[in-house]
Amino acid sequence: MILTHKENILKFSLLLPSFLSLFLFGSTVKAAAIANWHFDSNRNHLDFTTNKNVQPKVQLLANPTRLVINLPGVTLGYPQTSQRVGSVIKDIRIEQFNAETTRMVVTLAPGYTFDLAQVKLQEESANHWSVQLPQPVPLTATQPKYLEITPSISPRVSDNSTLFAGVVPMHLPMKVLEPQIKALMNRYSFLKTGMFFLDLDTGDYLDIGGDRVFPAASTIKLPILIAFFQDLDAGKVTLQENLTMRGDLVTNGSGVMQYERVGKKYTALETITKMITISDNTATNMIIDRLGGAARLNQRFRNWGLKDTVIRHLLADLRGTNTTSSQDMARVLALVVNNKLVSLQSREQVLDILRHTTIRTLLPAGLGKGAVIANKTGDIGFLIGDAGFVTMPNGKRYLAAIFVTRPYKDTRGRDFIRQVSQLVYNYLNQLNPVASVNSPNSATR
């Protein structure tokens, strides 16, 4: 969960064995040189930004074991604040260490320490840093009393760059490709579309109505899947726990669980797998119920920065009241791929499940041989959509999301998405820099 700071309001989310964070600071304070900071409790990941260049120093001290992050030249501007966290991570505090140094301290229980080699201090830009904390490990008798690490330096994002989802530097629009996409749209003028594609390696992007809100159909199952794995990482759910198929959760539309007897039990892993791979609506309702209901999920989506993604009704939502946008779908994928929402292990499980989506007639149909896509489709007759993470044989990676409203079940909507996918793929493949579509079908009114 990402927490932000505006002007003088500082909120800090603590490391907890659950997805939901607690606020360390909730009152208005004056932060002299710390512009903003947040802690992603799901990933043990701290981000902080100052209003001038700093060079943090990370130390591991003993008796008691504590990880110290010193910020030389930074004045805190308010009294020391601390918060008890738990039995292993005892507390986290921020204090003015001396007249010119602000210090962040993570204190561990006796008998525990951090493997300092696994603590990653990363310079994101001159005044933006991140610290990735590992899980605490048992203390050994040979543990040194003092250790220090130096930061790793990453290429800086220029000041005028925009970070998509806060993680991917956006570069330039795909100007060469855009006219060809719009020409295709003119051929299919009876369709209404919104799309967003983002090259994760260069930051180049294609945004045509990417913020346009559409019925989500079954693409809503993508963020629901991510939410489940967040709770898995937090220890709130397990893959092997049994879920009961209650009568009030059984629904029609896609899937096979609706044909089984009410009261049948499925493991959570079976349920989330059916929710994605065969887009089972009943399975989806069971997962929504297990995660606390639509309202809680909607709040979580908002915390991720999804502006348009809302669950208003359980599945099957054939009227299209649940909504999203191409940008929102790309945003949640960007966060997952960049390890911002779930652990590395959960990320790989999420992508593996998505790679087994059985419907291959939309974005996958436009990809070249050897390309791999982790995606989720949606279809409620008058609308189809698809969102995915594509890895090309040449190693290039990109995000793709597209929605189309069409005459009811008109297959030309599917053809349009396939051709858009092919245009983007060919453009990014570099083997043929001028995108082209060789479609056996022509679009007519």
Side-chain angles (χ1 to χ4, degrees), residues 209-254:
D211 60 352
R212 188 172 297 155
V213 178
F214 287 90
S218 286
T219 64
I220 198 70
K221 297 166 186 175
L222 171 57
I224 294 172
L225 176 70
I226 308 308
F228 177 88
F229 274 94
Q230 278 197 329
D231 280 3
L232 179 68
D233 289 337
K236 298 170 71 175
V237 299
T238 70
L239 291 172
Q240 297 309 317
E241 68 177 85
N242 285 322
L243 304 180
T244 302
M245 189 176 72
R246 302 198 313 264
D248 60 314
L249 300 176
V250 176
T251 187
N252 59 356
S254 58

Side-chain angles (χ1 to χ4, degrees), residues 3-52:
L3 306 176
T4 59
H5 168 81
K6 293 185 178 179
E7 299 180 343
N8 292 329
I9 298 177
L10 181 62
K11 292 183 178 180
F12 185 46
S13 169
L14 297 178
L15 175 62
L16 293 172
S18 66
F19 163 75
L20 293 178
S21 302
L22 296 179
F23 290 117
L24 178 57
F25 304 114
S27 58
T28 300
V29 297
K30 182 178 181 181
I34 298 180
N36 61 75
W37 59 331
H38 63 263
F39 192 89
D40 184 336
S41 62
N42 191 55
R43 300 186 304 114
N44 299 354
H45 188 86
L46 170 67
D47 272 299
F48 59 91
T49 304
T50 60
N51 59 5
K52 59 183 178 180

Side-chain angles (χ1 to χ4, degrees), residues 210-416:
D211 60 352
R212 188 172 297 155
V213 178
F214 287 90
S218 286
T219 64
I220 198 70
K221 297 166 186 175
L222 171 57
I224 294 172
L225 176 70
I226 308 308
F228 177 88
F229 274 94
Q230 278 197 329
D231 280 3
L232 179 68
D233 289 337
K236 298 170 71 175
V237 299
T238 70
L239 291 172
Q240 297 309 317
E241 68 177 85
N242 285 322
L243 304 180
T244 302
M245 189 176 72
R246 302 198 313 264
D248 60 314
L249 300 176
V250 176
T251 187
N252 59 356
S254 58
V256 298
M257 293 173 68
Q258 60 185 301
Y259 304 115
E260 300 294 336
R261 62 174 177 81
V262 172
K264 183 173 181 178
K265 295 184 182 298
Y266 296 86
T267 67
L269 178 58
E270 288 178 300
T271 308
I272 59 172
T273 300
K274 290 179 184 295
M275 176 179 75
I276 298 298
T277 58
I278 61 172
S279 204
D280 197 296
N281 289 333
T282 298
T284 306
N285 291 343
M286 292 168 64
I287 296 298
I288 292 173
D289 180 74
R290 179 63 181 87
L291 298 181
R296 289 189 180 181
L297 283 169
N298 289 337
Q299 181 59 55
R300 198 180 304 195
F301 299 163
R302 288 190 292 272
N303 291 339
W304 298 348
L306 308 185
K307 299 180 295 183
D308 308 311
T309 303
V310 182
I311 304 172
R312 295 182 175 88
H313 290 93
L314 290 176
L315 281 290
D317 179 39
L318 299 179
R319 296 178 61 187
T321 62
N322 301 331
T323 57
T324 190
S325 64
S326 298
Q327 284 190 6
D328 267 12
M329 287 290 107
R331 182 172 286 107
V332 72
L333 285 167
L335 292 169
V336 170
V337 171
N338 285 276
N339 304 316
K340 295 296 183 181
L341 293 181
V342 295
S343 66
L344 178 61
Q345 181 179 359
S346 288
R347 183 193 74 170
E348 293 309 308
Q349 286 184 281
V350 165
L351 294 177
D352 183 65
I353 291 172
L354 291 169
R355 291 184 189 111
H356 287 84
T357 295
T358 55
I359 297 174
R360 314 293 291 176
T361 56
L362 300 178
L363 287 172
L367 304 181
K369 183 178 181 180
V372 177
I373 184 171
N375 69 306
K376 183 67 195 82
T377 59
D379 183 349
I380 50 175
F382 68 90
L383 171 130
I384 52 176
D386 201 353
F389 166 55
V390 180
T391 303
M392 302 172 68
N394 62 10
K396 183 175 286 295
R397 305 166 308 142
Y398 66 94
L399 305 177
I402 185 168
F403 289 91
V404 170
T405 57
R406 61 178 182 174
Y408 192 75
K409 291 191 176 181
D410 192 320
T411 60
R412 291 172 296 178
R414 179 191 63 197
D415 296 336
F416 173 78

Side-chain angles (χ1 to χ4, degrees), residues 110-246:
Y112 288 90
T113 188
F114 286 121
D115 179 358
L116 200 63
Q118 300 300 316
V119 177
K120 304 299 182 183
L121 173 64
Q122 182 76 36
E123 183 183 18
E124 309 293 347
S125 69
N127 62 342
H128 177 202
W129 294 79
S130 66
V131 182
Q132 179 65 57
L133 298 177
Q135 292 297 322
V137 296
L139 184 66
T140 65
T142 58
Q143 174 68 34
K145 293 185 178 181
Y146 174 89
L147 289 170
E148 184 171 334
I149 66 173
T150 56
S152 57
I153 308 299
S154 64
R156 293 181 178 176
V157 179
S158 61
D159 293 339
N160 59 359
S161 295
T162 300
L163 288 175
F164 179 72
V167 291
V168 183
M170 295 180 69
H171 188 221
L172 296 171
M174 299 178 186
K175 290 294 188 182
V176 174
L177 180 60
E178 191 171 306
Q180 298 173 64
I181 297 292
K182 290 185 175 179
L184 186 65
M185 291 171 61
N186 287 335
R187 290 170 53 197
Y188 288 87
S189 59
F190 55 94
L191 305 175
K192 293 183 180 179
T193 186
M195 65 187 75
F196 187 86
F197 293 80
L198 177 62
D199 186 332
L200 292 174
D201 302 315
T202 67
D204 290 349
Y205 61 94
L206 175 71
D207 184 358
I208 300 177
D211 60 352
R212 188 172 297 155
V213 178
F214 287 90
S218 286
T219 64
I220 198 70
K221 297 166 186 175
L222 171 57
I224 294 172
L225 176 70
I226 308 308
F228 177 88
F229 274 94
Q230 278 197 329
D231 280 3
L232 179 68
D233 289 337
K236 298 170 71 175
V237 299
T238 70
L239 291 172
Q240 297 309 317
E241 68 177 85
N242 285 322
L243 304 180
T244 302
M245 189 176 72
R246 302 198 313 264

